[in-house]
Amino acid sequence: MLKARASLLNRVLARSYATAASPHALVFLEHRQGDLDSASLSALTAASQLGGQVTGLVVGSPEEVPSVVEKAKKLNGLTTLLHSASPQYSTLLPETVSPLLEKLLSQNSPFTHVVSAHSSSAKSILPRVAAKLDVPAVSDITSLEHDAASGSTTFTRPIYAGNAISTVRASSSIPIKFFTVRSTAFAAAGAGDAVESEVKALDSVEVSDAPTEHISTSLTKSDRPDLGVASRVVSGGRALKNAETFQSTLYPLADALGAAVGASRAAVDAGYADNSLQVGQTGKVVAPELYMALGISGAIQHLAGMKDSKLIVAVNKDPDAPIFQVADVGLVADLFEVVPEMVEKLKQ
Amino acid sequence: MRPSAVRLLNILVPIKRAVDYAVKIRVNPEQTGIDLNVKHSMNPFDEIAVEEAVRIRERLKDAVKSIKVVTIGPPKSAETLRTALAMGADSAVHVEILESAPAPEPLGVAKALKALIERQKEGVDVVIMGKQAIDDDAGQTGQMLAGLMGWSQATFASKVEVDPEQKIANITREIDGGLEELRCKLPVIITTDLRQVHLLNEPRYASLPNIMKAKKKPVEKLTAAELGVDLTPRLETIKVTEPLKRVGGGKVANVDELLTKLKEAGVTGKRA
């Protein structure tokens, strides 16, 4: 009797599985200099929230992959870790990496979701793969919910530079749901010591005669924390006057706070700061504990990049600057007088 | 000796009409989208793409045979095409959709662009488009088109040099933390970043004579059906809402008060 009921239950379960597979996410794990990118760890957290299995994928050169795999297999939330190494993966060119993903996702693929950080590499690669598989993709999501019964996943994502939030549903008619994750919306997954995930090597898909060749990479060097992940950010705008005063004014304050340096688009356009420091719709989106906006008026494009910060402090000469509408603490003053004073008093 | 004949370049620039970047947008009461009864203009990233195409011709002169702009959108998108023509494009294609039709998704747009490229008798060598539209902020169309075509792609480009004889393009692109240089075989899909604005590309204003001339340039009208593509979105938009409003916490009088507030929030000088 009991047995009969159990088998009936199994049949019901089996039937529901036939219509909607339980979620199995493939997370594209990015790394740099042997370390996993923190944005990828946030993507892993988002993938775990789907409520099913999570497989990680590490792609890189034969020199890089082994050490990254050592770290990645300890990550919480990963059930399986796939890795593929080839000299042609030393820079992640979409033309050479896409065929690997296409192969992985097309042959009776168990994967229902493909997840990555909203990083420059993943943004270049994933839509290319999605198009080849004839599925749409969802960019820069800030929350998600998977309905296992219907096989549909609902996402929220900012549109119009964060001035509106769109809720979209990818139904079961989309067999593989691609999405990139806004890292500031999900905590980074940590490494556990209990269970290691199962590690499997994956043959690379060699692309001969790729149409694109990598020539060089130049990274902006900085001793300060990385802007994307810093817990404190000191940001400057056009009021900083020029590149010299930008550095001589902001950097001591950033050092006193252990903060990363950011810039508004106006400051970047005027050449005061490197483009990689830009915060806003077209630059980085940050959500640190503390965001200090110095000489930044607060255009909507800039606010889009920092308004999820926990504590916003603004210093501006103009009492009507829009930044004061969002700042938790505002000071109407000349930043060239105020910032050195702050540095002095913070050191005490 | 006359120089050997080089194959002339045909450049395609897909553009989008979007709510102007300076407009403070408002979500409609039905929560189906935003109030679109506001100023629209060309997506700023696409403006850079048009400008870059025109500059490629200025550098390469006769090696560029045509610059064609294309948009997929409601009837009003025709204005956006005229703007691009006034900036220096030669001809335009308008894939017209109904005013009431939902906005097509990047994959649909990429398929339409693929169909359009395949209709070009002389082929297309370079596609330049914005890295993202400032309305849906998806940033996918260029990559999807490159995937569908199987072409080389260079996203987030800040510098573009096309060599028509060797049929390659050297492209500097913005990546997380710095820059990367690529050499792409033509045909190539390039998506533009904003940095071009101050490095090599500040979109020009169309002069009145050029605006007048643009009125005479050819605009071909097509429908999605004629291209054999379905632009129906596959993702369902459930609702569009306002983000949580942040309310300012007021102003302080001096640095000491500011630092006191910081201390209350647990922020002090650099942690050891």
Side-chain angles (χ1 to χ4, degrees), chain A residues 32 91 93-95 118-121 123-125 127-128 130-132 134-139 154 157-170 173-174 209-220 231-232 255-258 265 268-269 274-276 281-282 284 290 292 300-301 307-313 315 319 324-332 338 341-342 345-346, chain B residues 19 21-25 27 34 36 45 105-107 110-111 131-141 143-148 150-156 170 173-187 193-195 197-198 234-244 246-259 261-262 265-271:
Chain A
R32 187 178 286 178
T91 50
L93 290 179
E95 293 83 345
H118 195 60
S119 66
S120 62
S121 295
K123 280 192 287 187
S124 301
I125 298 168
R128 188 177 174 107
K132 287 246 178 143
D134 196 28
V135 289
V138 186
S139 295
T154 305
R157 56 179 302 266
I159 54 174
Y160 291 93
N163 289 295
I165 306 295
S166 173
T167 304
V168 294
R169 178 157 58 207
S173 67
I174 298 165
D209 201 29
T212 306
E213 186 191 344
H214 177 262
I215 305 293
S216 65
T217 299
S218 60
L219 297 177
T220 315
S231 64
R232 297 169 179 190
D255 291 339
L257 287 164
R265 182 168 160 214
V268 171
D269 279 355
D274 189 83
N275 190 65
S276 62
Q281 181 187 18
T282 55
K284 285 232 163 55
L290 169 69
M292 276 205 173
I300 51 174
Q301 291 81 9
K307 65 183 163 58
D308 293 327
S309 306
K310 235 185 213 142
L311 183 73
I312 298 175
V313 175
V315 177
F324 288 122
Q325 290 164 21
V326 299
D328 300 293
V329 183
L331 175 58
V332 179
V338 167
E341 188 185 342
M342 265 196 275
K345 290 181 173 161
L346 278 168
Chain B
V19 169
Y21 72 94
V23 168
K24 186 152 173 45
I25 65 118
V27 171
I34 70 145
L36 291 172
F45 293 100
E105 284 168 359
L107 184 57
K111 286 179 181 175
K131 72 165 181 178
Q132 75 188 73
I134 60 162
D135 46 11
D136 66 11
D137 287 334
Q140 300 167 354
T141 308
Q143 297 88 307
M144 288 184 155
L145 178 60
L148 294 178
W151 288 2
S152 182
Q153 73 177 57
T155 45
F156 324 133
N170 286 319
R173 53 187 297 265
E174 306 268 340
I175 56 169
D176 294 334
L179 297 171
E180 179 181 78
E181 202 187 331
L182 299 177
R183 181 165 301 146
C184 301
K185 284 185 197 153
L186 302 189
D193 214 326
L194 273 187
R195 175 117 145 198
V197 168
H198 53 100
R234 284 164 71 186
L235 296 163
E236 181 192 352
T237 299
I238 312 242
K239 62 176 177 181
V240 174
T241 51
E242 298 270 354
L244 288 176
R246 241 197 125 97
V247 184
K251 289 170 187 162
V252 294
N254 54 45
V255 169
D256 288 325
E257 283 183 29
L258 192 155
L259 291 175
K261 289 262 190 189
L262 284 188
V267 178
T268 52
K270 191 176 178 175
R271 291 165 289 188

Side-chain angles (χ1 to χ4, degrees), chain B residues 63-205:
Chain B
V64 175
K65 183 165 187 189
S66 76
I67 299 174
K68 188 174 269 190
V69 288
V70 51
T71 197
I72 299 164
K76 279 181 185 157
S77 309
E79 302 161 15
T80 314
L81 287 177
R82 290 290 168 199
T83 307
L85 292 170
M87 287 172 74
D90 307 315
S91 63
V93 181
H94 188 173
V95 181
E96 207 171 273
I97 58 175
L98 292 174
E99 187 73 51
S100 57
E105 284 168 359
L107 184 57
V109 173
K111 286 179 181 175
L113 292 173
K114 177 176 190 268
L116 192 75
I117 289 170
E118 283 163 356
R119 283 167 68 104
Q120 305 303 306
K121 284 194 192 73
E122 296 180 325
V124 170
D125 307 281
V126 177
V127 177
I128 311 183
M129 59 204 289
K131 72 165 181 178
Q132 75 188 73
I134 60 162
D135 46 11
D136 66 11
D137 287 334
Q140 300 167 354
T141 308
Q143 297 88 307
M144 288 184 155
L145 178 60
L148 294 178
M149 301 302 297
W151 288 2
S152 182
Q153 73 177 57
T155 45
F156 324 133
S158 60
K159 194 176 172 201
V160 175
E161 285 171 44
V162 181
D163 181 339
E165 281 178 53
Q166 308 227 32
K167 293 194 191 171
I168 54 164
N170 286 319
I171 288 150
T172 305
R173 53 187 297 265
E174 306 268 340
I175 56 169
D176 294 334
L179 297 171
E180 179 181 78
E181 202 187 331
L182 299 177
R183 181 165 301 146
C184 301
K185 284 185 197 153
L186 302 189
V188 63
I189 314 258
I190 300 165
T191 75
T192 54
D193 214 326
L194 273 187
R195 175 117 145 198
Q196 275 171 311
V197 168
H198 53 100
L199 274 191
L200 58 132
N201 173 339
E202 178 136 20
R204 67 197 61 195
Y205 283 105

Side-chain angles (χ1 to χ4, degrees), chain A residues 31 59-68 84-90 206:
Chain A
H31 51 92
V59 178
S61 71
E63 296 80 46
E64 300 167 314
V65 165
S67 67
V68 177
S84 187
S86 163
Q88 75 172 4
Y89 298 148
S90 55
E206 295 299 320

